[in-house]
Amino acid sequence: NFFKTTFRNLWENKSYVIINILGLSLSLACCIVAYLNYNFAADYDSNHLNQDRIYKIQVAKSVQNQEVPYGITPLPLGAGLADQLSEVEYSTRYTQAGMIFKKGNNVLDEGIGFGEEHFFDIFTFPFKYGNKEAFNDPGQIILSQETSEKLFGQIDPTGEMVTLIKEDGSQLTKLVGGVLEEIPMNSSVHFSGLLPFDEYFSIYEVDRNDWGRFLAATFIMTNSNQYPENVIKVLNNQFITIQNEARDDWKVTTYTLESLNTLGVNGEDLRANWLYQAPPKPAIIVPFIMAILMLLIACFNFTNTSIAISSKRLKEIGIRKVMGGNRSQLIFQFLGENIVLTFISLALSIIIAMYLVPAYSAMWDFIDLELNFTANPELYL
């Protein structure tokens, strides 16, 4: 009887029902998009298992009497840091360069990365084909899944040759030693191909001890989750003078450490940040505020129309009371009708979000949103 009355009442007020369902479902779908947009930034670099122990060394210099942070670091700074500092388990230098990939008629103008020996000990990049042992061979290259598919298609390319063309037109050939699983878009370290760091010195004829040259990043992984205060002291005591003597036109005032937990989100505050960074804060906050406002408007409209419709059912309430209905049963009837309505709206909002999420994601080059109920259980809440 409760359910029959509920659906009879909803059918008799079709216009009110349609308006409320559409309002609630559209606003809930926007809330889902806004949450996924926020979660994309909040989960930046969460694909790395050692995220809590990884820090990026950064510099600050005085600009018009203000300390301005920079994302780059001097080339020789990271050499052997793990041997010098007991708090550091691994250290690695990382930089990027322009490079063209060529395989047959397939040509890609992509950037290439260079990482040191313990790169894969610090960062979590699962292999789809091959393994990290190939990274120790200077004649081999590690490809991202996207680059591999563009050059070789869906096959396993390990053992195949790929040609790399430098900006000056000179070429070198490398053996594909492995292919990584797809690198998440919300990872600060992102590359199309990766070569051992020693190849950076030989390919570009770079002086290993040139303190006037800068890299994209120097990373350390500590032995514990505690902030490594001693590392900051050593960096500032031993390496500021060396750097400033090498570059009188670019003097460093201090070294800092940025945790990988916050690196992506704080990336927009850095100058010379060569890594990927999270969407700007307004791009995260504004959609969230707009979605909440839309949901509030839909809720106010839903509340007002529900009260207006219920006032027309005084005769039904009177008959129920006469027939022995009590207060709790009436409350259950009216709440039940509204709960049915909201669940219909929720189901429709998920359907709308399935189209809205990829459409919103396609608008921006720096985000990749996916409506995944198994990988994101917080979405249910």
Side-chain angles (χ1 to χ4, degrees):
N1 176 261
F2 280 126
F3 282 108
K4 287 172 68 177
T5 306
T6 296
F7 286 105
R8 186 187 300 120
N9 178 60
L10 295 179
W11 182 256
E12 289 176 356
N13 298 280
K14 289 186 289 291
S15 58
Y16 135 77
V17 169
I18 292 172
I19 290 172
N20 277 333
I21 287 178
L22 286 178
L24 286 172
S25 58
L26 285 171
S27 59
L28 281 170
C30 290
C31 286
I32 291 174
V33 174
Y35 167 74
L36 292 175
N37 186 56
Y38 160 80
N39 196 59
F40 176 84
D43 283 351
Y44 228 82
D45 292 311
S46 62
N47 57 301
H48 302 296
L49 298 179
N50 298 313
Q51 183 185 18
D52 294 338
R53 298 161 54 200
I54 301 174
Y55 296 87
K56 179 173 176 281
I57 300 175
Q58 299 178 164
V59 299
K61 67 185 295 282
S62 180
V63 178
Q64 297 180 350
N65 297 322
Q66 289 186 340
E67 278 205 354
V68 178
Y70 284 75
I72 53 179
T73 49
L75 168 62
L77 177 68
L81 274 180
D83 298 329
Q84 303 174 44
L85 300 166
S86 59
E87 297 90 350
V88 178
E89 183 175 353
Y90 297 121
S91 66
T92 187
R93 289 174 286 181
Y94 173 80
T95 197
Q96 302 166 158
M99 196 77 78
I100 294 175
F101 294 75
K102 185 175 185 295
K103 177 62 179 178
N105 295 325
N106 296 326
V107 179
L108 299 176
D109 188 0
E110 303 281 352
I112 195 167
F114 298 87
E116 273 191 301
E117 176 186 3
H118 295 293
F119 182 86
F120 288 108
D121 294 317
I122 295 177
F123 297 106
T124 306
F125 290 111
F127 277 75
K128 183 176 183 178
Y129 303 116
N131 55 66
K132 68 178 183 180
E133 300 303 322
F135 185 58
N136 299 324
D137 186 346
Q140 300 192 47
I141 184 173
I142 306 298
L143 297 180
S144 69
Q145 179 177 320
E146 183 181 6
T147 303
S148 172
E149 291 177 354
K150 288 179 179 179
L151 292 175
F152 300 96
Q154 300 294 328
I155 66 170
D156 177 2
T158 53
E160 299 284 343
M161 304 300 293
V162 62
T163 301
L164 303 177
I165 306 174
K166 293 167 54 179
E167 294 175 347
D168 61 4
S170 59
Q171 299 183 8
L172 58 151
T173 304
K174 296 291 182 182
L175 187 73
V176 178
V179 176
L180 303 177
E181 298 280 358
E182 184 177 358
I183 301 175
M185 185 72 77
N186 55 350
S187 173
S188 296
V189 180
H190 220 277
F191 48 82
S192 299
L194 187 70
L195 288 172
F197 201 76
D198 285 340
E199 288 295 282
Y200 175 70
F201 297 120
S202 60
I203 292 173
Y204 295 98
E205 299 178 354
V206 175
D207 181 3
R208 295 173 180 268
N209 299 311
D210 184 3
W211 281 86
R213 195 179 189 95
F214 291 88
L215 298 175
T218 301
F219 292 97
I220 62 171
M221 189 173 84
T222 58
N223 296 316
S224 66
N225 293 337
Q226 294 182 347
Y227 186 80
E229 295 282 356
N230 186 57
V231 173
I232 292 291
K233 294 178 183 177
V234 172
L235 292 174
N236 287 321
N237 291 336
Q238 295 186 14
F239 298 110
I240 287 183
T241 303
I242 299 174
Q243 161 60 29
N244 291 342
E245 288 176 352
R247 284 287 299 269
D248 188 58
D249 62 325
W250 213 89
K251 291 190 174 183
V252 171
T253 56
T254 184
Y255 285 101
T256 60
L257 291 178
E258 182 75 45
S259 171
L260 197 63
N261 289 320
T262 56
L263 178 61
V265 177
N266 294 336
E268 65 172 329
D269 299 326
L270 294 174
R271 293 191 183 182
N273 182 21
W274 299 352
L275 304 181
Y276 273 45
Q277 62 191 51
K281 291 182 177 65
I284 301 171
I285 297 172
V286 172
F288 213 98
I289 294 175
M290 292 176 64
I292 293 297
L293 290 176
M294 289 177 65
L295 184 61
L296 284 174
I297 292 172
C299 287
F300 289 146
N301 182 67
F302 176 75
T303 304
N304 289 332
T305 52
S306 296
I307 294 173
I309 293 298
S310 64
S311 64
K312 297 180 180 180
R313 300 172 63 185
L314 296 177
K315 185 181 294 184
E316 176 193 339
I317 294 172
I319 293 174
R320 284 182 176 276
K321 296 284 281 184
V322 168
M323 296 298 293
N326 56 40
R327 186 171 180 268
S328 61
Q329 289 175 320
L330 290 172
I331 292 174
F332 178 80
Q333 174 70 44
F334 282 89
L335 281 181
E337 291 178 6
N338 289 316
I339 289 173
V340 168
L341 201 61
T342 53
F343 268 98
I344 294 173
S345 301
L346 180 59
L348 184 58
S349 73
I350 294 173
I351 296 173
I352 295 173
M354 288 179 180
Y355 294 93
L356 198 59
V357 169
Y360 181 86
S361 181
M363 293 172 59
W364 316 102
D365 293 332
F366 48 82
I367 63 173
D368 182 21
L369 305 185
E370 181 183 2
L371 185 60
N372 191 327
F373 292 98
T374 57
N376 194 356
E378 295 92 349
L379 186 59
Y380 290 103
L381 182 60

